[in-house]
Amino acid sequence: MKKLKYLILLLAISPVFMFTGCDSGFEEVNSNPNDPSAVPAELLLAGVIRGTGNTAGSAFNGGETGSCWVQHLGKPVYNTNELYIPRQTTIDGVWQNLYTVVAKDASIMQQLANDQGNSNLEGVALVLKVNAFQLLTDIYGDIPMSEALLGDAGNITPIYDDSETVVYPALLSMLDQAMTLLNGTGSIDSSQDLMYGGDWTKWKKYAASLKFKILMRAASGGYNANAQLQALATSGNLFSSNADQAQLVYLSAAPNANPFYETLVDGGRDTEWCLGEELVNYMINSNDPRLPVYAQEVGGNGSGGGYVGKPAGIRAIGDSFYGDSNNVSLIGEKYLEAEQPYYFMTYAHLSLLMAEAAERGYISTGTATDYFNMGIAASVADNGVSGAPSINYAPGATGLTQIGEQLWVALYMQGYEAWAEYRRTGVPTLPLAIDAVETSIPSRYNYPLSQQSLNNANYTAAVAKQGTDNLTTPLWWQN
C-alpha cells in the first residue's frame, strides 16, 4: 500500500522529475507548488541531477549566453544574444529552476536522508545543493541563501547574502560536511543516481574536486585557500581520471535527451548555430586534434571545406557572409548527439586548475607542467581523439596564459563554466562583439524582474551594495 501511495504522489508531482530543455518559469524563490517533501529521499535524486543539466546545459541558457559570450559558439541567425541582449526568459528561468527545483529539492532530499540516517544520500544532496548555489552566485552575484528555500515557513522575502563573505564560505563548509557524510553509511539508489550509479566514493571525489574549483575561484578572497588546496591535493580524494568526472549521460530520446539535441536536432535548428571565429582560429593555429570533434567542416564533414568560425555579434547578420550557414562550421556531430553528457565537472577542468595552483605556488604536490599536460590529455581523450595541440608549457606568466587558454578550449559546450573561468582569468583576450550594446563582455545576469516586484526591499539593498543591476557590473572574484 505504501508503494502505491508513493507512486500516486510521484505522478502528482511529475514536473519535479520530468525536465525538458526549455526554460520554464516557476514560482517565487521561496515557494514550490510541487512540494515533494513526502517523497522518499532517493526518489528526488534523479530529478535534481537532470534539473541541473537541463537548466545549465540548455541551448538558450548556457548556450546563448555562456558559450556565445566566450565566443565558443555563434549564431548565423537570430544572434542578438551575441550583442549582449540575453532573453528575459533565460534570466528568469535559470533563477527559478535552480531555486525552486534544484536547490529546494536537494535541500528536501538532504533533510529526508538525515531523518532516515542515510549519510551517503545526505552527502550527495549537499553536493548537489552546493553546485546549484554556486551556479546562482556566479551567474547573478549576491543571492538569497541563508533565508532562501524557507517559503513553507512563511518567509517569501529572503535577504540577499554577500557572495564573498557569506555564500562562498557556506559552500565550502557544506562540502566539508558532505565529505564527512560520504562514509559508506546508508545507500544511494543506483537507478536514481544518474551520475555515479550509487557509488558513494565517486561522489566524495566530486565533492573534493568541486571544493578545489571553488577555492581557486575564491583564492583572491583569502579563505586560507593555499592550505586548503594543498590538503585537497594530498588527500587522495580528487578526481584521478576521466572515469571519476561528474557527468550526466543523457538517453536516446526526448524528454531525456541532451538539451542541445532536443533543441537543435529534434527542433530542426542545427544550422542556426556555429562555432566562433576566435576558438576556431586558435585551434587551427595550435593544430588541435579536438577541432574536427568540436566543429563540422564548412559544407559538412567530408566536404574538404575546412573550418571557419563566425565573428561575434553582427547585428545585420542576414546581410553578411556569416549569415549563410553554408559558409561556417556548424557544431560538431558528437556534441549534437542525444546521449552527449552534461558535465558538472571534468577531470580535465580539475587538472588545469591544479596546473594553475602549482604555477601560483598554492600547492607543492606535482608540477604545473605535468598537470597542464594531464589536463590536455584528459580533454583529448574525452573527445575520442589522440595526439595533442602544438603547445609547449612555459613556466611563469606565459604558463598562466597557456593554462587559461586551455581551460577555455577544454570547457567547450560547458557554457556557464567556460564563462566563469574566462571572467576569473581574463584569458584569452577576446574582442568585443562587433555590434555590442555593452562596453564589455557581460560579467553577470541582471536579477529577474520578479525580484523587483516580489522582494523589492531586499533586491534594492543588494543592488545598492553590489552595484548597478546590469550585465557589466563585475563580481568580486572577477579578473
Side-chain angles (χ1 to χ4, degrees):
M1 191 68 181
K2 182 181 287 188
K3 289 184 179 179
L4 179 60
K5 171 186 171 184
Y6 287 148
L7 178 59
I8 294 171
L9 184 57
L10 279 173
L11 292 173
I13 63 170
S14 60
V16 175
F17 298 93
M18 296 176 63
F19 297 92
T20 66
C22 67
D23 301 322
S24 301
F26 289 84
E27 299 296 64
E28 199 273 334
V29 169
N30 271 343
S31 174
N32 184 354
N34 300 313
D35 183 3
S37 57
V39 175
E42 63 271 16
L43 295 185
L44 291 169
L45 179 54
V48 173
I49 293 171
R50 198 177 296 280
T52 304
N54 285 358
T55 299
S58 165
F60 297 122
N61 298 343
E64 279 196 342
T65 55
S67 288
C68 285
W69 289 350
V70 298
Q71 299 176 33
H72 282 169
L73 298 180
K75 298 186 72 178
V77 294
Y78 314 125
N79 75 333
T80 53
N81 61 296
E82 292 180 47
L83 279 60
Y84 315 135
I85 307 173
R87 299 172 189 257
Q88 189 61 44
T89 51
T90 290
I91 291 170
D92 296 343
V94 169
W95 179 277
Q96 297 294 356
N97 288 4
L98 290 179
Y99 268 115
T100 64
V101 176
V102 178
K104 181 159 187 178
D105 287 1
S107 186
I108 292 171
M109 179 167 58
Q110 175 193 351
Q111 184 58 56
L112 291 173
N114 178 272
D115 293 343
Q116 297 166 9
N118 189 339
S119 294
N120 282 337
L121 190 58
E122 185 180 355
V124 168
L126 268 171
V127 173
L128 291 169
K129 185 162 73 169
V130 167
N131 185 72
F133 276 122
Q134 193 196 8
L135 279 168
L136 282 162
T137 195
D138 287 355
I139 291 170
Y140 297 93
D142 293 351
I143 57 168
M145 184 178 183
S146 60
E147 293 184 359
L149 315 180
L150 300 177
D152 297 336
N155 183 1
I156 60 171
T157 56
I159 63 169
Y160 284 63
D161 294 307
D162 182 88
S163 178
E164 180 177 7
T165 62
V166 178
V167 177
Y168 260 67
L171 299 180
L172 294 169
S173 178
M174 283 193 285
L175 286 174
D176 286 339
Q177 182 184 358
M179 285 186 280
T180 299
L181 287 165
L182 289 162
N183 60 11
T185 303
S187 63
I188 305 168
D189 188 331
S190 60
S191 68
Q192 297 295 314
D193 183 357
L194 305 181
M195 282 170 58
Y196 290 127
D199 187 341
W200 66 269
T201 65
K202 300 283 191 182
W203 279 101
K204 189 164 187 172
K205 287 189 172 188
Y206 174 40
S209 301
L210 179 58
K211 183 180 179 182
F212 198 99
K213 182 185 78 172
I214 291 174
L215 283 166
M216 287 297 292
R217 202 157 291 172
S220 62
Y223 301 107
N224 192 27
N226 291 26
Q228 293 195 69
L229 288 166
Q230 181 61 49
L232 288 166
T234 58
S235 68
N237 289 330
L238 296 172
F239 294 157
S240 59
S241 73
N242 284 352
D244 294 333
Q245 62 193 14
Q247 63 182 37
L248 161 63
V249 177
Y250 282 99
L251 303 181
S252 59
N256 297 317
N258 179 283
F260 266 81
Y261 170 84
E262 292 187 11
T263 301
L264 274 63
V265 179
D266 268 4
R269 306 175 72 170
D270 55 308
T271 61
E272 295 180 10
W273 292 73
C274 65
L275 266 69
E277 181 180 65
E278 292 293 315
L279 180 62
V280 169
N281 289 351
Y282 177 85
M283 297 182 79
I284 289 173
N285 291 337
S286 59
N287 298 309
D288 198 306
R290 292 167 287 187
L291 181 56
V293 183
Y294 284 13
Q296 298 180 46
E297 289 184 291
V298 174
N301 286 336
S303 69
Y307 301 96
V308 175
K310 171 188 167 293
I314 303 170
R315 183 177 292 275
I317 186 64
D319 298 330
S320 77
F321 170 85
Y322 300 99
D324 184 343
S325 61
N326 293 307
N327 295 333
V328 290
S329 292
L330 305 181
I331 295 173
E333 294 173 350
K334 166 183 165 58
Y335 286 92
L336 296 179
E337 292 176 355
E339 297 178 17
Q340 171 63 21
Y342 166 78
Y343 294 105
F344 284 70
M345 186 175 178
T346 63
Y347 177 52
H349 191 176
L350 173 68
S351 298
L352 290 165
L353 290 176
M354 294 184 77
E356 181 184 347
E359 187 60 65
R360 294 188 183 278
Y362 297 163
I363 62 174
S364 58
T365 306
T367 68
T369 301
D370 287 345
Y371 288 129
F372 179 77
N373 291 332
M374 286 163 55
I376 293 174
S379 178
V380 167
D382 216 23
N383 282 279
V385 292
S386 59
S390 303
I391 300 171
N392 294 316
Y393 185 77
T398 298
L400 290 173
T401 298
Q402 290 174 319
I403 292 167
E405 290 170 344
Q406 285 304 307
L407 271 172
W408 176 64
V409 174
L411 291 171
Y412 176 67
M413 296 296 282
Q414 299 170 52
Y416 286 134
E417 284 304 314
W419 182 37
E421 293 295 4
Y422 166 73
R423 287 175 287 158
R424 181 181 70 84
T425 66
V427 177
T429 301
L430 295 174
L432 196 66
I434 292 171
D435 293 315
V437 301
E438 301 286 352
T439 57
S440 63
I441 293 172
S443 304
R444 60 183 290 272
Y445 285 178
N446 53 278
Y447 291 118
L449 296 177
S450 61
Q451 287 299 290
Q452 299 178 41
S453 59
L454 298 175
N455 194 15
N456 184 260
N458 290 316
Y459 159 82
T460 301
V463 171
K465 180 176 68 67
Q466 180 172 258
T468 306
D469 187 18
N470 59 34
L471 297 177
T472 56
T473 296
L475 302 187
W476 65 274
W477 47 259
Q478 191 169 332
N479 181 284

